[in-house]
Each structure stands twice: as C-alpha cells, then as structure tokens.
Amino acid sequence: MAAPRRDANHDIDRETDSSSNRDRDTRGIVDAAEFLAQVDFRRPEPAEALRRHVEYYWLIDWDLPEPYVSHVVPHPAVHVVFQQFEGQDPFVEVAGIQLGLFTQKLEGRGRVCGIKFRPGAFHPFAPRHPVSDWTGRRLPLTEVLPAARDDLDAVLTPPDESARVAALDTFLLGLTPAPDPRADLATALVDTIRTDRTIRRVADFARAQGMTVRAMQRLFSTYVGVGPKWIILRYRIHEALEHAESASPPDWATLAADLGYADQAHLIRDFTATVGVPPTAYTQNTH
C-alpha cells in the first residue's frame, strides 16, 4: 500500500496553528489582555533536537510611551533570559523558579529573548547542583553554566525573529548535556500533574507512581527545583486565573471544588496570597 501523501500546505497550516496556540496560552500572566496590548509577545519553538529539554522560546519587544508593570505567576520552570533594557547594557541570566509573583517594570524600548526549559530538563545542563539551588534566584549565566558562550548580539540585535530563534538554537546546541533518565522521569511526572486534575495529594500521586513520598520529593528537589505539593497548588492557581479572565466570571465555590480545594475559602486564600488580590476583586479589575 502506498504511503499517505503529505500535503505541504497542510503541514504549514498545522505548524501555524501550533504556534498560534502557544501564543494564545496565557496561563500565569496576570491581566493577560492588558499584557498583550502593551508588548509584542511570541513563543516560537526551538530546533527539533532541543525539544526534549526546551518547552519553547519566548520573545518580547516593547516600545512604550508610559511605563508598564507586568505580573506573572511563574511556572515550575528554569529560564535562561537574554535582556536588553533601554539605557542599560544587555545581559543574560539564569532565572530559577520564582516562588512568588514575578513583577517586571518595562519602559521605553526593550527586548527580551527567553528560553523556557521543561520542568526537570535543566538539570542535565548543570548536573553538579540540584535545581533547588537556583530556586528564587536570578544569576549571571556563567555562574550556573560556565561553559556557555553567550553571544548577546546574535540573540538580541537581529530585527528578524527567525534569526533570533536560530541564535538561541545555536547557543543551546553548543551545550551537550548527557542523557539522564531521571530528568526524563521528573519531566513526565510534572506533566502528569499539569494535565491530570484528579491529582490532589502528593502521597496518593507518589503511591500511584510506585514511589515513596520522600523519594519523589528528593527527585523534584534535584531536578525540578520545587516540591510536588507546590506544583499541584501552582497549577491550581494558573487554572483559577484562566477562569477569572474568561468572559463569564466563574462560580468560585464550584471552581474550588473542581480544583480539589476543601472549600472556597482555601482557594481565595491561595489566590490572594499568590496574585495579591482576592479573586472577585481581580475579576472586577480585568473585565
């Protein structure tokens, strides 16, 4: 039997749809509509050889008449970030997982080109340290990856997006992390937590994976940078934010139950502690 004919145009459409879906995924961005109105934000894919380690690149350009402050509820991911702010020399740093709300003031003109590693996938690049060593910290690239060659001009200067993506590919392909099955396991476990809303207790999840709670906690500390409980709670808040910004404000009691909270008060407490305002006030401010 002849192989099915590949339709090049269909492949292009599918790739375009995939890129569009990534750009529309605003989980974690506080007041995403305002953020997208202020900056030019894209999430291109890395080269295929890098997708085992990298979820996507993220590119932001801005030219603002007035200062704007962005807020993000961070994901459980390590980032390498090339940055150019008006009036400053360009620089690159490793950003470990930020435990609280991440706030960044943007003004004038600027550009950021970031690499978002898959949870668990950064450790093979810096295997001498547990990823928890970088949690809550932003460090110069060479302090974490001494062998890295950071060509700031190649990444930040080109006006063409594809040239910036190619430079990020070249930067990462110059590093050669050894295969690490435990990194793959950590990535898979975090992805399971992200996609399976029934996972609510670490003890139950560890048991289902054939692990002790302590063994899972050690794995996450070394490879992810935060514990499984933190990740379960963080993905709940991401989903709550997404519902809060939908066209129809959610029934918070129902959403709390759907997300596995004991009651609405627990959701309100976590949301307020993470985002800074209660969910009802947040909904009013963003609609």
Side-chain angles (χ1 to χ4, degrees):
M1 179 180 295
R5 182 176 65 87
R6 291 176 58 87
D7 186 328
N9 291 329
H10 174 71
D11 287 346
I12 292 172
D13 290 342
R14 185 173 57 191
E15 291 172 4
T16 301
D17 289 344
S18 175
S19 176
S20 178
N21 287 338
R22 284 195 306 277
D23 290 346
R24 287 197 299 265
D25 182 359
T26 58
R27 282 172 296 176
I29 300 174
V30 175
D31 197 353
E34 176 65 13
F35 174 79
L36 296 175
Q38 295 285 347
V39 305
D40 183 11
F41 175 60
R42 293 91 66 210
R43 287 173 169 158
E45 280 190 313
E48 187 171 355
L50 296 168
R51 293 174 194 171
R52 177 179 186 175
H53 301 289
V54 177
E55 188 167 346
Y56 52 72
Y57 298 143
W58 49 278
L59 311 179
I60 303 177
D61 293 89
W62 65 90
D63 187 354
L64 299 169
E66 300 290 339
Y68 165 70
V69 180
S70 65
H71 303 279
V72 177
V73 178
H75 292 245
V78 175
H79 298 254
V80 170
V81 192
F82 293 77
Q83 301 168 73
Q84 175 66 75
F85 295 92
E86 191 168 69
Q88 300 181 32
D89 292 333
F91 62 101
V92 57
E93 61 186 0
V94 173
I97 297 172
Q98 304 300 300
L99 298 177
L101 188 68
F102 175 73
T103 299
Q104 178 67 62
K105 183 178 181 180
L106 305 176
E107 52 189 334
R109 299 181 64 185
R111 171 174 293 169
V112 172
C113 300
I115 302 168
K116 181 184 179 183
F117 287 83
R118 295 185 180 279
F122 181 77
H123 184 263
F125 290 85
R128 294 186 178 182
H129 294 266
V131 176
S132 56
D133 278 5
W134 322 125
T135 298
R137 304 171 69 190
R138 299 173 69 89
L139 299 162
L141 175 71
T142 53
E143 188 172 330
V144 181
L145 300 173
R149 300 182 63 180
D150 55 325
D151 192 341
L152 288 162
D153 285 341
V155 174
L156 291 168
T157 301
D160 180 60
E161 178 178 312
S162 61
R164 282 181 257 165
V165 170
L168 290 171
D169 284 342
T170 299
F171 163 75
L172 283 178
L173 290 170
L175 305 172
T176 54
D180 187 338
R182 290 183 64 76
D184 296 336
L185 172 61
T187 298
L189 290 174
V190 174
D191 192 55
T192 299
I193 293 173
R194 181 181 63 83
T195 57
D196 187 347
R197 290 175 54 186
T198 67
I199 297 171
R200 298 174 178 176
R201 298 182 66 251
V202 175
D204 294 340
F205 181 50
R207 189 180 307 112
Q209 299 297 322
M211 303 174 69
T212 66
V213 170
R214 183 61 186 143
M216 180 172 283
Q217 289 171 336
R218 285 197 300 266
L219 177 73
F220 275 55
S221 176
T222 300
Y223 286 88
V224 182
V226 290
K229 181 178 180 180
W230 187 94
I231 293 173
I232 292 170
L233 294 174
R234 179 49 50 90
Y235 283 139
R236 286 179 180 177
I237 295 300
H238 281 174
E239 188 161 349
L241 265 175
E242 195 170 27
H243 281 277
E245 296 193 14
S246 63
S248 301
D251 179 315
W252 291 102
T254 300
L255 180 60
D258 289 345
L259 294 178
Y261 282 95
D263 52 40
Q264 182 177 346
H266 283 79
L267 169 58
I268 292 173
R269 183 181 63 202
D270 280 357
F271 190 103
T272 305
T274 305
V275 181
V277 295
T280 51
Y282 178 83
T283 301
Q284 292 169 359
N285 292 337
T286 55
H287 283 77

